[in-house]
Every structure is written in C-alpha cells, then in structure tokens.
Amino acid sequence: MNGATDISGWKHLHENVRKLWRISNLITGVVVAGFAVIPDLIIRKSADKWPLFPFAIPLVVLVLIVGLGQWIVGRSFECYRYELGEDDLAVAKGVFWKSWRFVNRNRIQHVDLSSGPIARALGLVHVSVFVGGMQAAAVSIPGLSTHDAEMLRSKLIKASAEVIPPDPMSATTPPPAPPEFPNG
Amino acid sequence: MAEPVYHRIHPLTMVVELPRVIKQLFVAIILVIFQFTRKGGLSEELGFEVVAAALGALVIVPPLLRYYSFGYAIHEGKLLVKSGILQKNLRTIPLDRIQNINLTRSLLHRILGLVDLEIETAAGVKAEASISALTDEQAHVLKAQLMGTKVQSFSRVDRELDRTVIYRPTVKELLLVGASENRAGAMIAAVLGFGAFQPMLQSFFEQEGKQVARSARSLPPAGWQLIIAGIFVFILIGWIISIISAFVKYYNFELSQKDGNLKRTYGLINHFENMLPIKRIQTVHIDQNFIQRWLKICKMYAATAGGMVQEKKSEANQAQIATAPLLTPVLRDDMRDSLLKTALPKADVSNPEWQPVSKNTIYRHLRTGLWPSLFFSGLMAVVFWIYRQPFTRGVVKIQPFWDQFGPYLTFTGLMLLALLSGWIYWKCARWSDAHSVIITRLGWFKRRWNYLPMDKVQLVSVSQSPAQRWFKLATVDFDSAAPTFQKTEIDDMPIEEAFALAKRVHTKSGDSRDSLVDGF
C-alpha cells in the first residue's frame, strides 16, 4: 500500500457494526428470497418437467446474497475508517469502489445522530455530517457507540463554533432602517 | 422592542393570480359547469345567476383570502413573511443570508404594473420567499432594503444612469446562440435513429403477412423520400422554434454591475430581473458546443448557494420565467476573461497553466469498457445460439453474416468506442489550480469549463473504481454549496497527484471562515 492511500492508522467503526451489517444482510436475503418464491411457483406450475427440486430458485438467491454479503461485510468493515484531525474529519470507505472524503470542521452545518431498532439494541449510533448546499450527508459514520458518537458530535460542533467567529456581515453593518413605503 | 409593521401585497395580485387559480381548480370548475349545464341538473332549479356566483366564488375566494392573510415586514435585520389562514406561517429570513433576488413580470404583470419578488437563501432549491405581487416602486424599495443598499430614487432615468453595463448581446448573437443550441445533437440523433429504424421497419414488413407486405411494397419509392423530407421539415421547425424562443426569452438582455451586485434583465414578453451579489458566487461555469466554438460564442453560468435551479417549473406563477444560474445566454469569446474577472474578482484565471490527466486514462477507459462489451457480445451470442436451436428455427431468420460475426463485431465496436472516449478524454481534459481557483476543462463535443474558488469548497473527496486501481489512478471531487454545477471533478489523475491536490485544496479551503457569506 502506498503512502497516500494508507489508512491503517485510522479508527475503526464500533465492533458491533459487523453484527449489525450481518443481520441486515440476512434480513435482505430472506426478504428477496421470499419474493423469489413467486417466480419459482409460476415456473413449476407451467413447466411440465422442472429439472430442479422445489424452491430451488429462492434457495439459490438466498445462498448467493447471504454468501456474498457476509463476505463483503467483513471486507467493508476493514475498509470503513475515520479520523478526526486537528481541524477536519476524514472518512475512508469502499471495498471495490474506494473513496476518501475530507470535511473541514468550519464547513459543517449540522451533525445528525440516528439509530434504527437493531442498531439501538446493539448500542450503535449513525453519525451523519452535513455541509452547506448538499442535500445528502457529506460524510457518514454508520456505527459508533453512543458515547463515541456524542463525543464526536460535540467535538465537531464545538470546534466549528470556535473556528467561526460571529458573522462579519451582521456584526459590522447595522440592520437596515425600517421600510418606508410610498403606499404602505 | 417594536412590533414589526406588516405590509400588504398589491390588491391587483388577485387578478394576476387568476390564471393560477383557474389552473389549480380546473377539475372543480369543469365539474361545476358540468353539473349546472347538464339537462335536469342543478341549473334548472337554481338558475344561471347561482352558477355564475358559484364559479366566481371558486375563483375569487382563494386569492382574496391570500391577499388578506399575506404580509411581509423588515424588522431588525430580518425579513418576516406571514401567510396562511387556518395554519399560520411566519418565515423569518436574516437579510445577510439572502443569496439572490429575482424580480419577474409576466405580460399580465406588465399591463398592471406589478412585479413578483422571489428571495433565495442557501437552504433548499426552491425560493425561500415569494412576494407576489408588488408595484414596481414597492419592489425596488424592498429589493434595495434586502440587498442592504441605500434606497434611491426610483425614477427610471436615475436607474438608467446608476449602473455599469458589462455586457449587452447584439440581436445577431442572440439569434446565433438560439441557432446553435442543442439542436445539432438532436438532428444527428434523429438522422442516426432513422437509419437504425429503417431495417427494422423493412424486416417487420417482410415478416408480417402478405397483406402488410403488399401495402409496404405498394408504398411508392417516393414514400420514403416523403418521410425523410417530413423529418427534415420537423427538425427545421424545431430549429426555428429554438431560435425564436431564445430571442423572445432573452430579448434585450443586459448584464450590469452595481454596488457589488450583478444585475441581469431580459425578456420580450415576460420580463425578468435578477440581483446576484458577486461575493455569493460559488462556482462559475462556461459551456460551448462545437458549433459555438466555431462561432466563437459561449454561455456563462454563475451558481450561488441559493436555488436558481435550471428550468424551474414554478407553481407560484404560471407565467414565471424559468431561471437558470445563467449569467449570460451568450458571450463572445473575447469577453470571457473580463467577465470572469468580474465574477471572480480576486483571481486571475485568464491564462491558467493547464495540467493534463494521466495518459493511462485511455487504458482505464478500455478496462472499464471490457466487462460491458463482454456482457453484450456474450448476450448476443447466447441469443443467436437459442435462435439456431431446432425449436426456434424458422421463427426469426438471422442473416448468416451476423450469425457468424455479430458477437465479435459487437465486442470490437464497443471496445473501439471505449478507446475513442478514452482518447478524447485524454486529449480534452485539463485542470489547473493556480491562483486558488480550481479550473477544469472537459469535453470535446460540448466543452465545459468549471471555476471553483478554493474558499468555496465544501467537501473534498478522492475516489477510485476497480479499473482505476488497476492503473493507480483516482478521481478528485470538489463539492461546492451551489446546487447546480455542484461538483467539480477531475477523473484519472495519478493517485499520488490526486491526494496531493486534494490535500492542497482541503487545507486552503479551511482557511476561510464561512464560505456562504465571505466574499472570495
């Protein structure tokens, strides 16, 4: 690994994220396999001789999704890293399509913490960091312990409050005089 | 603390709103009319007067309610807009957060002397406040207050003198841009599409029963010529319409400068005026297709963090003109540098030191194209194999040439396309980061320039696809707060260089405080 892309020193997500991802992969697999029952039934009903055993299609789908998914979960946990720098937050992710994202603390508009039912049961919180003008989160860290997430949030927001001095425009220019309309 | 004094909109707003209300209640109105005109319907019991009254009430009551419930005020450096009857809304916008202001007049507005005023902040894509409608004078007073400038005399003569005109395209330039806009691509696509369509039509005629075949054969040779002529006329009409619409839309376009704001006014029928604080400009974008390159004209856009989304279909006013972050619909090439200087005053971007992307991008394009090419040619081979089987024989006949070489030709063709796109990308893509502005130049058919001051960068990201990893390349992405032209990206830089650039811009962008307010 060359110097630029070296993220081995960066922080991992919480260990439970692996569990969370494995569970959601299983759920996805079961749901998709459930849908695959319909074509299976139709084909077996219409074809005279179906060479495979009943419910072969959903089973294959399930094995494929879960098999691939469980492998990717492990890899993707290894690749998902973040680092809180002096004045920025960096997040690296991706197994096949890799990306490294850098946000300056003074660009952060707001930070969201959210967690679904399974994540809550595992004590995980999803941190999303938003910058100006972008609809989606600029970077997100999908699983820290509640304590870590709150620490990160307070660090990000406190730091940005210290870096940004009060708005220069509102501080220096007095608000415009009340309006005087010709025909109020 | 003084109570804010709310101002009403102009009473004639109700007239201006009529088309919108009628459009909104179209179904209801039709139903009412139907109900009353039907034989044995309600009209026989109630009479014509009641019908008219019911319709009138449907049309007049909503604008009336809006008129009485709507109010705006400027109070302690904030714009307050209240609206709503049952559910009351009060929107507060700090004046220093306003990104830009639009004034719009439709034909009806112009007859009545009214103006719609829209205010955009950095939040969301839609206008944050729409004050419709005001008199001309009210609007100009309000605009001056919102922009924090002195309220000046609003006589037309003073307004004429009180600005520096930067650019005023000639009629010829407007017609040229209308003529060269997008239609070229559509024409080529239409011709190619027709070419691809023709064999399909022929085979269709051959396969369908004899009756159809006979009628196809009975179609005299002139018939095809007629169709081609028809398509040509169709394209010609589209072309003329695009020339006329550009002319009508941007008639009398003027870009001027006043107190650090750029002001654009244009429109033959619907009149549009926009104020754009120069310091709020996030990115500047220029584009030019190859015909325009030959004509030496281009289009320039300046995106702010506010809305100004392209071709906005406004529901607030039917007649409203679509607003793009278009700085000027047409610009002579020799004016480009001076206008860039105006839009990005602190940077010298006239002669950037262009840097190329890695030459490996050609191989990367080939590598990216490999799997799709394999997939499609493989698919073709499988389909042909199925058709060759006994049970499908005779259903469709594949020409022996295609049967034999089709998949190979498809694969080669797709790979050649990938090679060509890679070569064009390598030839055309340039970037520069001189003078704290990231500049990219992309594309051959339609060439695009992006200017993003480093202060305005919100997010820096480096990404790498599997194919890029193969050749140690990466894509660098810079996001600004402007919703249009948000991304400025450079594909296929050597990865070390990509990280170096990302680091440089990231560090530099951290120096400025609030990119949404600070001037560049």
Side-chain angles (χ1 to χ4, degrees):
Chain A
M1 200 173 249
N2 59 40
T5 54
D6 185 17
I7 52 165
S8 50
W10 295 18
K11 275 188 208 149
H12 275 295
L13 304 178
H14 193 273
E15 199 52 36
N16 278 353
V17 170
R18 234 190 284 237
K19 259 186 229 165
L20 174 69
W21 286 351
R22 285 193 198 289
I23 294 170
S24 37
N25 170 249
L26 271 176
I27 293 173
T28 316
V30 170
V31 169
V32 175
F35 278 113
V37 168
I38 299 167
D40 188 86
L41 284 176
I42 293 172
I43 289 172
R44 271 192 293 133
K45 201 139 210 178
S46 56
D48 296 334
K49 238 184 125 198
W50 177 239
L52 296 175
F53 53 91
F55 298 110
I57 296 177
L59 200 75
V60 169
V61 168
L62 185 70
V63 168
L64 267 180
I65 291 178
V66 172
L68 272 177
Q70 297 292 324
W71 174 68
I72 287 174
V73 163
R75 295 287 309 125
S76 121
F77 180 82
E78 278 308 305
C79 294
Y80 218 120
R81 309 283 189 103
Y82 72 97
E83 181 159 78
L84 187 64
E86 191 97 316
D87 49 8
D88 62 354
L89 176 69
V91 174
K93 65 171 179 182
V95 180
F96 304 106
W97 279 265
K98 290 185 174 297
S99 82
W100 298 262
R101 295 189 151 202
F102 307 90
V103 190
N104 268 310
R105 277 192 203 179
N106 59 7
R107 287 286 186 274
I108 293 170
Q109 298 283 332
H110 62 276
V111 179
D112 275 7
L113 301 187
S114 59
S115 61
I118 306 172
R120 221 163 31 239
L122 292 165
L124 293 177
V125 177
H126 185 121
V127 184
S128 312
V129 178
F130 291 81
V131 297
M134 291 176 76
Q135 297 282 314
V139 297
S140 57
I141 302 171
L144 293 177
S145 70
T146 314
H147 175 254
D148 280 357
E150 265 158 21
M151 283 293 285
L152 182 67
R153 174 176 65 175
S154 70
K155 269 182 194 164
L156 287 174
I157 288 177
K158 199 173 159 199
S160 77
E162 277 164 7
V163 174
I164 301 178
D167 196 344
M169 287 204 48
S170 59
T172 50
T173 52
E180 277 175 42
F181 281 90
N183 48 354
Chain B
M1 204 166 81
E3 281 292 304
V5 184
Y6 284 97
H7 300 273
R8 285 248 166 89
I9 44 180
H10 198 275
L12 279 175
T13 300
M14 286 180 260
V15 180
V16 178
E17 292 235 319
L18 269 184
R20 182 175 73 92
V21 174
I22 290 175
K23 190 182 159 202
Q24 267 183 358
L25 295 174
F26 190 70
V27 178
I29 291 169
I30 292 289
L31 270 178
V32 169
I33 290 176
F34 176 72
Q35 194 51 243
F36 281 107
T37 51
R38 185 163 64 101
K39 232 193 164 119
L42 286 168
S43 65
E44 290 189 358
E45 294 163 31
L46 299 172
F48 176 76
E49 290 80 4
V50 184
V51 179
L55 274 181
L58 259 183
V59 170
I60 286 168
V61 168
L64 205 66
L65 289 177
R66 191 176 118 80
Y67 172 69
Y68 279 107
S69 61
F70 192 91
Y72 67 94
I74 293 184
H75 186 66
E76 295 179 339
K78 293 183 195 83
L79 172 71
L80 310 174
V81 181
K82 65 166 187 179
S83 61
I85 303 148
L86 292 179
Q87 186 185 334
K88 300 243 178 223
N89 280 317
L90 177 65
R91 177 162 274 186
T92 311
I93 300 174
L95 294 188
D96 56 340
R97 293 293 173 190
I98 292 171
Q99 294 283 337
N100 64 60
I101 297 174
N102 297 331
L103 299 184
T104 318
R105 296 178 193 85
S106 72
L107 195 59
L108 200 56
H109 284 79
R110 289 172 71 180
I111 292 168
L112 299 172
L114 297 177
V115 185
D116 278 359
L117 195 138
E118 278 190 341
I119 294 145
E120 284 163 357
T121 68
V125 282
K126 269 167 71 182
E128 267 61 49
S130 171
I131 300 175
S132 150
L134 302 171
T135 64
D136 222 11
E137 290 181 357
Q138 277 178 317
H140 278 96
V141 172
L142 181 58
K143 186 183 76 181
Q145 286 172 335
L146 294 174
M147 296 307 254
T149 50
K150 249 197 356 252
V151 181
Q152 277 148 349
S153 147
F154 15 82
S155 86
R156 287 201 179 275
V157 182
D158 285 354
R159 248 187 273 153
E160 279 298 310
L161 294 173
D162 189 32
R163 64 187 179 355
T164 326
V165 175
I166 297 173
Y167 189 60
R168 199 184 275 150
T170 60
V171 172
K172 185 186 153 204
E173 284 165 3
L174 275 182
L175 292 178
L176 277 182
V177 79
S180 62
E181 198 52 17
N182 280 336
R183 293 291 153 182
M187 268 185 254
I188 291 167
V191 171
L192 283 181
F194 182 71
F197 198 54
Q198 196 183 353
M200 264 172 63
L201 268 179
Q202 270 174 346
S203 66
F204 173 76
F205 284 135
E206 278 156 22
Q207 277 168 37
E208 293 294 307
K210 277 188 177 169
Q211 210 178 350
V212 184
R214 210 181 300 132
S215 72
R217 239 176 273 127
S218 70
L219 202 68
W224 291 109
Q225 288 162 16
L226 209 69
I227 291 172
I228 292 171
I231 289 174
F232 182 74
V233 169
F234 190 72
I235 291 171
L236 195 70
I237 290 172
W239 188 56
I240 290 169
I241 288 174
S242 91
I243 296 177
I244 294 172
S245 66
F247 180 75
V248 170
K249 189 172 171 186
Y250 296 115
Y251 175 77
N252 215 354
F253 184 94
E254 185 188 280
L255 179 70
S256 57
Q257 191 179 5
K258 184 191 162 189
D259 304 332
N261 297 320
L262 284 175
K263 181 177 161 190
R264 301 168 300 152
T265 54
Y266 56 86
L268 182 63
I269 298 168
N270 294 330
H271 193 257
F272 183 81
E273 180 180 327
N274 169 265
M275 286 287 256
L276 172 70
I278 289 174
K279 62 187 175 195
R280 298 287 161 88
I281 292 176
Q282 304 283 327
T283 64
V284 176
H285 176 93
I286 300 174
D287 64 38
Q288 181 180 49
N289 63 32
F290 70 96
I291 299 174
Q292 290 168 341
R293 193 145 72 229
W294 175 63
L295 295 169
K296 293 196 179 357
I297 52 174
C298 61
K299 296 172 84 165
M300 192 184 273
Y301 303 78
T304 61
M308 303 264 285
V309 167
Q310 264 172 323
E311 302 304 312
K312 174 172 60 180
K313 289 205 179 67
S314 176
E315 285 163 10
N317 191 337
Q318 226 182 325
Q320 196 154 39
I321 301 160
T323 57
L326 196 60
L327 203 55
T328 154
V330 54
L331 183 70
R332 284 197 314 275
D333 267 359
D334 56 329
M335 294 278 298
R336 207 191 272 195
D337 285 345
S338 71
L339 191 48
L340 276 170
K341 185 86 195 144
T342 310
L344 305 168
K346 286 184 188 164
D348 176 22
V349 290
S350 53
N351 265 321
E353 299 149 17
W354 290 120
Q355 315 270 339
V357 295
S358 164
K359 198 173 181 177
N360 280 341
T361 183
I362 299 175
Y363 305 116
R364 201 276 299 167
H365 274 82
L366 275 177
R367 173 74 170 65
T368 308
L370 184 65
W371 291 115
S373 307
L374 274 178
F375 176 78
F376 283 112
S377 48
L379 195 72
M380 201 173 185
V382 168
V383 168
F384 284 3
W385 180 82
I386 292 174
Y387 278 142
R388 243 180 278 126
Q389 297 311 300
F391 58 90
T392 52
R393 183 154 295 162
V395 176
V396 179
K397 242 189 167 164
I398 302 160
Q399 286 181 1
F401 174 80
W402 279 104
D403 197 13
Q404 202 170 356
F405 299 111
Y408 303 107
L409 281 178
T410 308
F411 179 76
T412 320
L414 287 175
M415 287 306 277
L416 280 176
L417 269 183
L419 182 72
L420 184 70
S421 71
W423 187 76
I424 288 177
Y425 183 76
W426 176 66
K427 272 281 174 200
C428 295
R430 295 287 182 273
W431 63 274
S432 161
D433 67 333
H435 303 284
S436 302
V437 182
I438 307 149
I439 315 174
T440 59
R441 189 198 79 180
L442 298 172
W444 176 82
F445 186 77
K446 185 169 189 179
R447 188 154 283 183
R448 307 174 302 276
W449 288 261
N450 251 22
Y451 296 81
L452 172 59
M454 289 185 194
D455 302 34
K456 305 291 191 194
V457 172
Q458 298 284 331
L459 169 70
V460 179
S461 71
V462 180
S463 57
Q464 196 179 42
S465 71
Q468 284 178 324
R469 192 151 70 245
W470 198 280
F471 298 105
K472 292 197 166 52
L473 300 175
T475 298
V476 191
D477 244 306
F478 305 103
D479 287 72
S480 75
T484 33
F485 311 118
Q486 183 163 55
K487 271 188 190 312
T488 299
E489 61 175 17
I490 309 159
D491 264 336
D492 293 338
M493 284 172 74
I495 188 152
E496 298 287 345
E497 211 176 311
F499 271 99
L501 177 65
K503 182 95 198 144
R504 214 152 59 230
V505 174
H506 180 58
T507 317
K508 175 83 187 161
S509 77
D511 292 347
S512 70
R513 289 163 302 200
D514 187 343
S515 66
L516 296 180
V517 178
D518 270 2
F520 165 63

PDB file of all heavy atoms in Angstrom, chain B residues 198-217:
ATOM      1  N   GLN B 198     -34.845   2.042 -40.028  1.00  0.00           N
ATOM      2  CA  GLN B 198     -35.284   1.621 -41.355  1.00  0.00           C
ATOM      3  C   GLN B 198     -35.221   0.100 -41.576  1.00  0.00           C
ATOM      4  O   GLN B 198     -36.216  -0.489 -41.989  1.00  0.00           O
ATOM      5  CB  GLN B 198     -34.479   2.356 -42.420  1.00  0.00           C
ATOM      6  CG  GLN B 198     -35.131   2.276 -43.774  1.00  0.00           C
ATOM      7  CD  GLN B 198     -34.291   2.945 -44.824  1.00  0.00           C
ATOM      8  OE1 GLN B 198     -33.288   3.568 -44.516  1.00  0.00           O
ATOM      9  NE2 GLN B 198     -34.693   2.822 -46.063  1.00  0.00           N
ATOM     10  N   PRO B 199     -34.089  -0.558 -41.270  1.00  0.00           N
ATOM     11  CA  PRO B 199     -34.031  -2.015 -41.465  1.00  0.00           C
ATOM     12  C   PRO B 199     -35.078  -2.739 -40.640  1.00  0.00           C
ATOM     13  O   PRO B 199     -35.679  -3.714 -41.102  1.00  0.00           O
ATOM     14  CB  PRO B 199     -32.627  -2.386 -40.990  1.00  0.00           C
ATOM     15  CG  PRO B 199     -31.882  -1.141 -40.842  1.00  0.00           C
ATOM     16  CD  PRO B 199     -32.829  -0.021 -40.788  1.00  0.00           C
ATOM     17  N   MET B 200     -35.324  -2.228 -39.430  1.00  0.00           N
ATOM     18  CA  MET B 200     -36.315  -2.849 -38.569  1.00  0.00           C
ATOM     19  C   MET B 200     -37.681  -2.793 -39.233  1.00  0.00           C
ATOM     20  O   MET B 200     -38.423  -3.780 -39.244  1.00  0.00           O
ATOM     21  CB  MET B 200     -36.377  -2.109 -37.234  1.00  0.00           C
ATOM     22  CG  MET B 200     -35.542  -2.753 -36.152  1.00  0.00           C
ATOM     23  SD  MET B 200     -35.492  -1.718 -34.702  1.00  0.00           S
ATOM     24  CE  MET B 200     -37.196  -1.699 -34.211  1.00  0.00           C
ATOM     25  N   LEU B 201     -37.980  -1.638 -39.798  1.00  0.00           N
ATOM     26  CA  LEU B 201     -39.257  -1.461 -40.469  1.00  0.00           C
ATOM     27  C   LEU B 201     -39.383  -2.464 -41.611  1.00  0.00           C
ATOM     28  O   LEU B 201     -40.394  -3.134 -41.759  1.00  0.00           O
ATOM     29  CB  LEU B 201     -39.353  -0.044 -41.038  1.00  0.00           C
ATOM     30  CG  LEU B 201     -39.998   1.001 -40.135  1.00  0.00           C
ATOM     31  CD1 LEU B 201     -40.003   2.339 -40.831  1.00  0.00           C
ATOM     32  CD2 LEU B 201     -41.416   0.581 -39.784  1.00  0.00           C
ATOM     33  N   GLN B 202     -38.282  -2.556 -42.365  1.00  0.00           N
ATOM     34  CA  GLN B 202     -38.307  -3.431 -43.525  1.00  0.00           C
ATOM     35  C   GLN B 202     -38.550  -4.871 -43.113  1.00  0.00           C
ATOM     36  O   GLN B 202     -39.415  -5.554 -43.661  1.00  0.00           O
ATOM     37  CB  GLN B 202     -36.990  -3.324 -44.295  1.00  0.00           C
ATOM     38  CG  GLN B 202     -37.074  -2.245 -45.351  1.00  0.00           C
ATOM     39  CD  GLN B 202     -35.745  -2.008 -46.021  1.00  0.00           C
ATOM     40  OE1 GLN B 202     -34.716  -2.458 -45.536  1.00  0.00           O
ATOM     41  NE2 GLN B 202     -35.772  -1.298 -47.122  1.00  0.00           N
ATOM     42  N   SER B 203     -37.806  -5.318 -42.082  1.00  0.00           N
ATOM     43  CA  SER B 203     -37.960  -6.713 -41.667  1.00  0.00           C
ATOM     44  C   SER B 203     -39.356  -6.947 -41.113  1.00  0.00           C
ATOM     45  O   SER B 203     -39.936  -8.008 -41.290  1.00  0.00           O
ATOM     46  CB  SER B 203     -36.895  -7.080 -40.635  1.00  0.00           C
ATOM     47  OG  SER B 203     -37.122  -6.340 -39.467  1.00  0.00           O
ATOM     48  N   PHE B 204     -39.888  -5.909 -40.474  1.00  0.00           N
ATOM     49  CA  PHE B 204     -41.249  -6.009 -39.950  1.00  0.00           C
ATOM     50  C   PHE B 204     -42.213  -6.261 -41.101  1.00  0.00           C
ATOM     51  O   PHE B 204     -43.060  -7.137 -41.048  1.00  0.00           O
ATOM     52  CB  PHE B 204     -41.608  -4.714 -39.227  1.00  0.00           C
ATOM     53  CG  PHE B 204     -43.038  -4.634 -38.796  1.00  0.00           C
ATOM     54  CD1 PHE B 204     -43.484  -5.350 -37.688  1.00  0.00           C
ATOM     55  CD2 PHE B 204     -43.943  -3.857 -39.489  1.00  0.00           C
ATOM     56  CE1 PHE B 204     -44.796  -5.275 -37.294  1.00  0.00           C
ATOM     57  CE2 PHE B 204     -45.262  -3.785 -39.089  1.00  0.00           C
ATOM     58  CZ  PHE B 204     -45.694  -4.497 -37.991  1.00  0.00           C
ATOM     59  N   PHE B 205     -42.038  -5.494 -42.165  1.00  0.00           N
ATOM     60  CA  PHE B 205     -42.937  -5.660 -43.308  1.00  0.00           C
ATOM     61  C   PHE B 205     -42.786  -7.036 -43.937  1.00  0.00           C
ATOM     62  O   PHE B 205     -43.739  -7.612 -44.426  1.00  0.00           O
ATOM     63  CB  PHE B 205     -42.662  -4.579 -44.360  1.00  0.00           C
ATOM     64  CG  PHE B 205     -43.220  -3.249 -43.967  1.00  0.00           C
ATOM     65  CD1 PHE B 205     -42.476  -2.100 -44.099  1.00  0.00           C
ATOM     66  CD2 PHE B 205     -44.507  -3.154 -43.446  1.00  0.00           C
ATOM     67  CE1 PHE B 205     -43.006  -0.885 -43.729  1.00  0.00           C
ATOM     68  CE2 PHE B 205     -45.033  -1.930 -43.083  1.00  0.00           C
ATOM     69  CZ  PHE B 205     -44.276  -0.792 -43.217  1.00  0.00           C
ATOM     70  N   GLU B 206     -41.566  -7.545 -43.935  1.00  0.00           N
ATOM     71  CA  GLU B 206     -41.353  -8.834 -44.566  1.00  0.00           C
ATOM     72  C   GLU B 206     -41.974  -9.968 -43.757  1.00  0.00           C
ATOM     73  O   GLU B 206     -42.475 -10.941 -44.302  1.00  0.00           O
ATOM     74  CB  GLU B 206     -39.852  -9.096 -44.777  1.00  0.00           C
ATOM     75  CG  GLU B 206     -39.350  -8.409 -46.034  1.00  0.00           C
ATOM     76  CD  GLU B 206     -37.868  -8.146 -45.974  1.00  0.00           C
ATOM     77  OE1 GLU B 206     -37.190  -8.843 -45.205  1.00  0.00           O
ATOM     78  OE2 GLU B 206     -37.410  -7.253 -46.682  1.00  0.00           O
ATOM     79  N   GLN B 207     -41.922  -9.836 -42.430  1.00  0.00           N
ATOM     80  CA  GLN B 207     -42.408 -10.918 -41.599  1.00  0.00           C
ATOM     81  C   GLN B 207     -43.913 -10.958 -41.488  1.00  0.00           C
ATOM     82  O   GLN B 207     -44.516 -12.027 -41.502  1.00  0.00           O
ATOM     83  CB  GLN B 207     -41.821 -10.779 -40.191  1.00  0.00           C
ATOM     84  CG  GLN B 207     -40.442 -11.372 -40.097  1.00  0.00           C
ATOM     85  CD  GLN B 207     -39.790 -10.962 -38.805  1.00  0.00           C
ATOM     86  OE1 GLN B 207     -40.454 -10.870 -37.783  1.00  0.00           O
ATOM     87  NE2 GLN B 207     -38.515 -10.700 -38.855  1.00  0.00           N
ATOM     88  N   GLU B 208     -44.494  -9.781 -41.360  1.00  0.00           N
ATOM     89  CA  GLU B 208     -45.946  -9.756 -41.213  1.00  0.00           C
ATOM     90  C   GLU B 208     -46.579 -10.286 -42.500  1.00  0.00           C
ATOM     91  O   GLU B 208     -45.957 -10.291 -43.565  1.00  0.00           O
ATOM     92  CB  GLU B 208     -46.411  -8.326 -40.917  1.00  0.00           C
ATOM     93  CG  GLU B 208     -45.955  -7.828 -39.557  1.00  0.00           C
ATOM     94  CD  GLU B 208     -46.607  -8.611 -38.407  1.00  0.00           C
ATOM     95  OE1 GLU B 208     -47.843  -8.700 -38.390  1.00  0.00           O
ATOM     96  OE2 GLU B 208     -45.877  -9.142 -37.550  1.00  0.00           O
ATOM     97  N   GLY B 209     -47.804 -10.688 -42.385  1.00  0.00           N
ATOM     98  CA  GLY B 209     -48.484 -11.355 -43.501  1.00  0.00           C
ATOM     99  C   GLY B 209     -48.393 -10.619 -44.823  1.00  0.00           C
ATOM    100  O   GLY B 209     -47.922  -9.491 -44.886  1.00  0.00           O
ATOM    101  N   LYS B 210     -48.857 -11.265 -45.848  1.00  0.00           N
ATOM    102  CA  LYS B 210     -48.648 -10.742 -47.187  1.00  0.00           C
ATOM    103  C   LYS B 210     -49.356  -9.405 -47.379  1.00  0.00           C
ATOM    104  O   LYS B 210     -48.904  -8.555 -48.133  1.00  0.00           O
ATOM    105  CB  LYS B 210     -49.179 -11.741 -48.219  1.00  0.00           C
ATOM    106  CG  LYS B 210     -48.167 -12.819 -48.522  1.00  0.00           C
ATOM    107  CD  LYS B 210     -48.634 -13.670 -49.659  1.00  0.00           C
ATOM    108  CE  LYS B 210     -47.569 -14.702 -49.992  1.00  0.00           C
ATOM    109  NZ  LYS B 210     -48.070 -15.706 -50.919  1.00  0.00           N
ATOM    110  N   GLN B 211     -50.456  -9.257 -46.678  1.00  0.00           N
ATOM    111  CA  GLN B 211     -51.233  -8.039 -46.851  1.00  0.00           C
ATOM    112  C   GLN B 211     -50.381  -6.809 -46.534  1.00  0.00           C
ATOM    113  O   GLN B 211     -50.307  -5.862 -47.321  1.00  0.00           O
ATOM    114  CB  GLN B 211     -52.437  -8.088 -45.912  1.00  0.00           C
ATOM    115  CG  GLN B 211     -53.614  -7.321 -46.471  1.00  0.00           C
ATOM    116  CD  GLN B 211     -54.807  -7.431 -45.540  1.00  0.00           C
ATOM    117  OE1 GLN B 211     -54.792  -8.219 -44.589  1.00  0.00           O
ATOM    118  NE2 GLN B 211     -55.820  -6.666 -45.813  1.00  0.00           N
ATOM    119  N   VAL B 212     -49.731  -6.886 -45.367  1.00  0.00           N
ATOM    120  CA  VAL B 212     -48.899  -5.763 -44.953  1.00  0.00           C
ATOM    121  C   VAL B 212     -47.757  -5.605 -45.944  1.00  0.00           C
ATOM    122  O   VAL B 212     -47.412  -4.511 -46.364  1.00  0.00           O
ATOM    123  CB  VAL B 212     -48.353  -5.978 -43.531  1.00  0.00           C
ATOM    124  CG1 VAL B 212     -47.578  -4.763 -43.080  1.00  0.00           C
ATOM    125  CG2 VAL B 212     -49.483  -6.284 -42.578  1.00  0.00           C
ATOM    126  N   ALA B 213     -47.184  -6.757 -46.330  1.00  0.00           N
ATOM    127  CA  ALA B 213     -46.057  -6.723 -47.237  1.00  0.00           C
ATOM    128  C   ALA B 213     -46.464  -6.053 -48.542  1.00  0.00           C
ATOM    129  O   ALA B 213     -45.742  -5.224 -49.081  1.00  0.00           O
ATOM    130  CB  ALA B 213     -45.560  -8.138 -47.517  1.00  0.00           C
ATOM    131  N   ARG B 214     -47.672  -6.390 -48.984  1.00  0.00           N
ATOM    132  CA  ARG B 214     -48.118  -5.794 -50.234  1.00  0.00           C
ATOM    133  C   ARG B 214     -48.255  -4.282 -50.083  1.00  0.00           C
ATOM    134  O   ARG B 214     -47.825  -3.522 -50.929  1.00  0.00           O
ATOM    135  CB  ARG B 214     -49.450  -6.424 -50.662  1.00  0.00           C
ATOM    136  CG  ARG B 214     -49.624  -6.446 -52.171  1.00  0.00           C
ATOM    137  CD  ARG B 214     -50.963  -7.055 -52.527  1.00  0.00           C
ATOM    138  NE  ARG B 214     -51.102  -8.427 -52.053  1.00  0.00           N
ATOM    139  CZ  ARG B 214     -52.182  -8.876 -51.395  1.00  0.00           C
ATOM    140  NH1 ARG B 214     -53.176  -8.063 -51.119  1.00  0.00           N
ATOM    141  NH2 ARG B 214     -52.252 -10.129 -51.038  1.00  0.00           N
ATOM    142  N   SER B 215     -48.835  -3.899 -48.969  1.00  0.00           N
ATOM    143  CA  SER B 215     -49.026  -2.456 -48.796  1.00  0.00           C
ATOM    144  C   SER B 215     -47.677  -1.763 -48.666  1.00  0.00           C
ATOM    145  O   SER B 215     -47.493  -0.645 -49.119  1.00  0.00           O
ATOM    146  CB  SER B 215     -49.896  -2.169 -47.574  1.00  0.00           C
ATOM    147  OG  SER B 215     -49.161  -2.431 -46.409  1.00  0.00           O
ATOM    148  N   ALA B 216     -46.706  -2.460 -48.062  1.00  0.00           N
ATOM    149  CA  ALA B 216     -45.381  -1.868 -47.951  1.00  0.00           C
ATOM    150  C   ALA B 216     -44.752  -1.738 -49.329  1.00  0.00           C
ATOM    151  O   ALA B 216     -44.109  -0.741 -49.642  1.00  0.00           O
ATOM    152  CB  ALA B 216     -44.491  -2.746 -47.081  1.00  0.00           C
ATOM    153  N   ARG B 217     -45.000  -2.764 -50.138  1.00  0.00           N
ATOM    154  CA  ARG B 217     -44.425  -2.713 -51.466  1.00  0.00           C
ATOM    155  C   ARG B 217     -45.158  -1.684 -52.321  1.00  0.00           C
ATOM    156  O   ARG B 217     -44.570  -1.025 -53.151  1.00  0.00           O
ATOM    157  CB  ARG B 217     -44.493  -4.106 -52.113  1.00  0.00           C
ATOM    158  CG  ARG B 217     -43.113  -4.620 -52.497  1.00  0.00           C
ATOM    159  CD  ARG B 217     -43.183  -6.031 -53.032  1.00  0.00           C
ATOM    160  NE  ARG B 217     -43.122  -7.002 -51.954  1.00  0.00           N
ATOM    161  CZ  ARG B 217     -44.020  -7.977 -51.784  1.00  0.00           C
ATOM    162  NH1 ARG B 217     -45.059  -8.090 -52.597  1.00  0.00           N
ATOM    163  NH2 ARG B 217     -43.871  -8.828 -50.804  1.00  0.00           N
TER     164      ARG B 217
END
